Amino acid sequence: MTRTAGVVAVQGDVSEHAAAIERAAAAAGESVEVREIREAGIVPDCDVLALPGGESTTISRLLAQEGIDEEIRDHVAAGKPVLATCAGLIVASADARDDRVATLDALDAAVERNAFGRQKDSFEAPLSVEGLDEPFPAVFIRAPAIAEVGEDVEVLATVEDRPVAVRQGPVVGLSFHPELVADERLHRLALFEAPAAATR
Ligand SMILES: NC(=O)CC[C@H](N)C(=O)O
């Protein structure tokens, strides 16, 4: 059975996610068809979704304008996997602490945009992640931190004691950019090894 993976493509680093999903599917022995989502009507056909990084105010505005926001909420409510990275994590959260971001409330977390200080606008760090045997090469670019999580949210990794990888039911949120490295383990974990039943 071929699974359909949607990459939300209103703005941000789309092709890198598409390539990472293809690598992750191959590693998991699955066949996948990747579709880019710029308009309503495609998300309902998708088994799994990636919500890329980019600029969260722009992404959230375009999702609402196109009516894709409601479709993503329905996807999550149906217990289907979502990987939300960086700006995608901000958009997926319950609270971006910024009125310009209309959040999807797919993840019971409050995030703090651009949280890792000026001199550290971008950095790469080997990160221990729950569920992975070896550290993941995590690339942070003007990354958000997760300031607060609800009790159903599992913290998978931290930097400076702040959560940077979390999971709630079918949704995995990452502060960093797993699509920018050759390592496909987090796409595989989030999209092809997700728990079968939703917990929300
Ligand atoms: N690399 C990213 O996705 C950065 C996110 C960006 N700083 C925002 O707040 O939208």
mmCIF file of all heavy atoms in Angstrom, residues 52-57 85-88 90 113-114 141-144 177, ligand 1:
data_model
loop_
_atom_site.group_PDB
_atom_site.id
_atom_site.type_symbol
_atom_site.label_atom_id
_atom_site.label_comp_id
_atom_site.label_asym_id
_atom_site.label_seq_id
_atom_site.Cartn_x
_atom_site.Cartn_y
_atom_site.Cartn_z
ATOM 1 N N PRO A 52 6.512 22.371 7.529
ATOM 2 C CA PRO A 52 7.905 22.814 7.516
ATOM 3 C C PRO A 52 8.175 24.113 8.277
ATOM 4 O O PRO A 52 7.247 24.830 8.649
ATOM 5 C CB PRO A 52 8.192 23.053 6.026
ATOM 6 C CG PRO A 52 7.161 22.301 5.293
ATOM 7 C CD PRO A 52 5.950 22.335 6.172
ATOM 8 N N GLY A 53 9.478 24.410 8.422
ATOM 9 C CA GLY A 53 9.906 25.697 8.944
ATOM 10 C C GLY A 53 9.812 26.766 7.873
ATOM 11 O O GLY A 53 9.572 26.477 6.694
ATOM 12 N N GLY A 54 10.014 27.980 8.310
ATOM 13 C CA GLY A 54 9.906 29.130 7.426
ATOM 14 C C GLY A 54 9.633 30.320 8.307
ATOM 15 O O GLY A 54 10.397 30.579 9.227
ATOM 16 N N GLU A 55 8.528 30.984 8.063
ATOM 17 C CA GLU A 55 8.187 32.164 8.875
ATOM 18 C C GLU A 55 6.755 31.969 9.371
ATOM 19 O O GLU A 55 5.807 31.920 8.593
ATOM 20 C CB GLU A 55 8.355 33.412 8.010
ATOM 21 C CG GLU A 55 8.725 34.640 8.797
ATOM 22 C CD GLU A 55 7.552 35.167 9.600
ATOM 23 O OE1 GLU A 55 6.437 35.217 9.069
ATOM 24 O OE2 GLU A 55 7.755 35.500 10.782
ATOM 25 N N SER A 56 6.628 31.855 10.690
ATOM 26 C CA SER A 56 5.366 31.362 11.241
ATOM 27 C C SER A 56 4.171 32.307 11.036
ATOM 28 O O SER A 56 3.045 31.840 10.851
ATOM 29 C CB SER A 56 5.536 31.030 12.720
ATOM 30 O OG SER A 56 6.076 32.120 13.423
ATOM 31 N N THR A 57 4.407 33.627 11.065
ATOM 32 C CA THR A 57 3.247 34.520 10.863
ATOM 33 C C THR A 57 2.718 34.357 9.439
ATOM 34 O O THR A 57 1.508 34.302 9.216
ATOM 35 C CB THR A 57 3.608 36.001 11.138
ATOM 36 O OG1 THR A 57 4.613 36.417 10.238
ATOM 37 C CG2 THR A 57 4.104 36.194 12.551
ATOM 38 N N THR A 85 7.959 21.231 12.217
ATOM 39 C CA THR A 85 9.332 21.631 12.517
ATOM 40 C C THR A 85 9.482 23.143 12.524
ATOM 41 O O THR A 85 8.998 23.832 11.632
ATOM 42 C CB THR A 85 10.315 21.040 11.482
ATOM 43 O OG1 THR A 85 9.983 21.508 10.182
ATOM 44 C CG2 THR A 85 10.241 19.514 11.468
ATOM 45 N N CYS A 86 10.157 23.644 13.524
ATOM 46 C CA CYS A 86 10.540 25.055 13.647
ATOM 47 C C CYS A 86 9.324 25.973 13.503
ATOM 48 O O CYS A 86 8.444 25.927 14.352
ATOM 49 C CB CYS A 86 11.669 25.369 12.677
ATOM 50 S SG CYS A 86 12.600 26.803 13.205
ATOM 51 N N ALA A 87 9.226 26.777 12.440
ATOM 52 C CA ALA A 87 8.026 27.616 12.303
ATOM 53 C C ALA A 87 6.768 26.750 12.268
ATOM 54 O O ALA A 87 5.705 27.161 12.747
ATOM 55 C CB ALA A 87 8.117 28.462 11.040
ATOM 56 N N GLY A 88 6.886 25.540 11.736
ATOM 57 C CA GLY A 88 5.745 24.616 11.725
ATOM 58 C C GLY A 88 5.319 24.237 13.137
ATOM 59 O O GLY A 88 4.127 24.119 13.434
ATOM 60 N N ILE A 90 5.731 26.196 15.735
ATOM 61 C CA ILE A 90 5.083 27.407 16.275
ATOM 62 C C ILE A 90 3.613 27.437 15.842
ATOM 63 O O ILE A 90 2.709 27.652 16.649
ATOM 64 C CB ILE A 90 5.818 28.684 15.782
ATOM 65 C CG1 ILE A 90 7.263 28.692 16.272
ATOM 66 C CG2 ILE A 90 5.076 29.938 16.236
ATOM 67 C CD1 ILE A 90 8.145 29.760 15.620
ATOM 68 N N ARG A 113 9.085 32.233 20.343
ATOM 69 C CA ARG A 113 9.786 32.366 19.052
ATOM 70 C C ARG A 113 11.211 32.886 19.266
ATOM 71 O O ARG A 113 11.463 33.648 20.189
ATOM 72 C CB ARG A 113 9.022 33.325 18.139
ATOM 73 C CG ARG A 113 7.625 32.841 17.807
ATOM 74 C CD ARG A 113 6.898 33.840 16.920
ATOM 75 N NE ARG A 113 7.553 33.988 15.646
ATOM 76 C CZ ARG A 113 7.379 35.035 14.835
ATOM 77 N NH1 ARG A 113 6.585 36.018 15.184
ATOM 78 N NH2 ARG A 113 8.004 35.092 13.676
ATOM 79 N N ASN A 114 12.102 32.516 18.371
ATOM 80 C CA ASN A 114 13.482 33.042 18.344
ATOM 81 C C ASN A 114 14.106 33.034 19.744
ATOM 82 O O ASN A 114 14.610 34.043 20.221
ATOM 83 C CB ASN A 114 13.477 34.464 17.765
ATOM 84 C CG ASN A 114 12.807 34.514 16.409
ATOM 85 O OD1 ASN A 114 13.003 33.625 15.583
ATOM 86 N ND2 ASN A 114 12.000 35.516 16.161
ATOM 87 N N ILE A 141 17.778 27.048 13.534
ATOM 88 C CA ILE A 141 17.868 28.315 12.796
ATOM 89 C C ILE A 141 16.784 29.255 13.336
ATOM 90 O O ILE A 141 15.603 29.020 13.117
ATOM 91 C CB ILE A 141 17.670 28.097 11.281
ATOM 92 C CG1 ILE A 141 18.667 27.070 10.740
ATOM 93 C CG2 ILE A 141 17.784 29.426 10.534
ATOM 94 C CD1 ILE A 141 18.384 26.606 9.318
ATOM 95 N N ARG A 142 17.221 30.299 14.049
ATOM 96 C CA ARG A 142 16.247 31.203 14.693
ATOM 97 C C ARG A 142 15.099 30.392 15.294
ATOM 98 O O ARG A 142 13.920 30.620 15.011
ATOM 99 C CB ARG A 142 15.742 32.258 13.707
ATOM 100 C CG ARG A 142 16.857 33.204 13.257
ATOM 101 C CD ARG A 142 16.395 34.285 12.310
ATOM 102 N NE ARG A 142 15.330 35.111 12.878
ATOM 103 C CZ ARG A 142 15.496 36.020 13.830
ATOM 104 N NH1 ARG A 142 16.688 36.223 14.351
ATOM 105 N NH2 ARG A 142 14.498 36.735 14.256
ATOM 106 N N ALA A 143 15.494 29.474 16.116
ATOM 107 C CA ALA A 143 14.587 28.409 16.564
ATOM 108 C C ALA A 143 13.715 28.829 17.738
ATOM 109 O O ALA A 143 14.144 29.598 18.591
ATOM 110 C CB ALA A 143 15.406 27.186 16.958
ATOM 111 N N PRO A 144 12.517 28.302 17.784
ATOM 112 C CA PRO A 144 11.675 28.507 18.953
ATOM 113 C C PRO A 144 12.056 27.522 20.063
ATOM 114 O O PRO A 144 12.599 26.452 19.800
ATOM 115 C CB PRO A 144 10.276 28.153 18.431
ATOM 116 C CG PRO A 144 10.546 27.116 17.370
ATOM 117 C CD PRO A 144 11.865 27.486 16.753
ATOM 118 N N HIS A 177 15.597 21.561 12.494
ATOM 119 C CA HIS A 177 15.312 21.246 11.089
ATOM 120 C C HIS A 177 15.856 19.881 10.673
ATOM 121 O O HIS A 177 16.929 19.804 10.081
ATOM 122 C CB HIS A 177 15.952 22.323 10.195
ATOM 123 C CG HIS A 177 15.252 23.629 10.234
ATOM 124 N ND1 HIS A 177 14.255 23.972 9.344
ATOM 125 C CD2 HIS A 177 15.378 24.670 11.073
ATOM 126 C CE1 HIS A 177 13.803 25.176 9.632
ATOM 127 N NE2 HIS A 177 14.477 25.634 10.670
HETATM 128 N N1 LIG B 1 13.735 28.368 10.835
HETATM 129 C C1 LIG B 1 12.520 28.694 11.205
HETATM 130 O O1 LIG B 1 11.504 28.068 10.845
HETATM 131 C C2 LIG B 1 12.468 29.936 12.044
HETATM 132 C C3 LIG B 1 11.112 30.279 12.589
HETATM 133 C C4 LIG B 1 10.983 31.779 12.667
HETATM 134 N N2 LIG B 1 11.966 32.341 13.530
HETATM 135 C C5 LIG B 1 9.561 32.132 13.124
HETATM 136 O O2 LIG B 1 9.391 32.546 14.225
HETATM 137 O O3 LIG B 1 8.654 32.020 12.357
#
